[in-house]
Amino acid sequence: MIDQNLLSMLRCVLSGEPLRPAEPSFVEKINELIKNGELRDRQDQRIREGIETGLIRESGGLMYPVRDGIACMVADEAIVLPANKES
């Protein structure tokens, strides 16, 4: 889990919006979509590696993956979230 003090400072690198942690049940859904080859990053590359958790920007649409306790805040590697599956 991301430290609350750190989380309060992190912002979406594209929009500057605050980020919120993804719910565990949502992370499970995301990992299933990744396993099935159904999710892409901002470069339209298929995501191949599951995530530990994620940080979703306030307005939704993108999630920054957290792997091995480290948030990947690279804009092009942000996961594009399916509109009907956001949580």
Side-chain angles (χ1 to χ4, degrees), residues 8 26 29 31 39 41 49 53-54 56 64 66 69-70 75 78 81 85 87:
S8 69
F26 184 66
K29 292 176 191 175
N31 280 324
L39 280 183
D41 63 19
E49 184 180 346
T53 189
I56 302 171
Y64 296 94
V66 176
I70 300 169
L81 297 174
K85 291 186 168 68
S87 176

Side-chain angles (χ1 to χ4, degrees), residues 19-77:
L19 302 169
R20 62 181 167 83
E23 295 293 326
S25 60
F26 184 66
V27 173
E28 286 180 32
K29 292 176 191 175
I30 291 298
N31 280 324
E32 188 64 30
L33 292 171
I34 290 170
K35 181 180 171 185
N36 294 333
E38 298 178 38
L39 280 183
R40 301 208 171 259
D41 63 19
R42 288 194 63 248
Q43 292 183 310
D44 201 30
Q45 300 296 311
R46 189 176 71 164
I47 299 168
R48 300 177 188 275
E49 184 180 346
I51 64 171
E52 181 180 307
T53 189
L55 300 174
I56 302 171
R57 71 178 174 186
E58 190 173 79
S59 66
L62 287 179
M63 179 169 66
Y64 296 94
V66 176
R67 294 185 179 101
D68 298 323
I70 300 169
C72 176
M73 300 299 294
V74 177
D76 287 341
E77 295 180 20

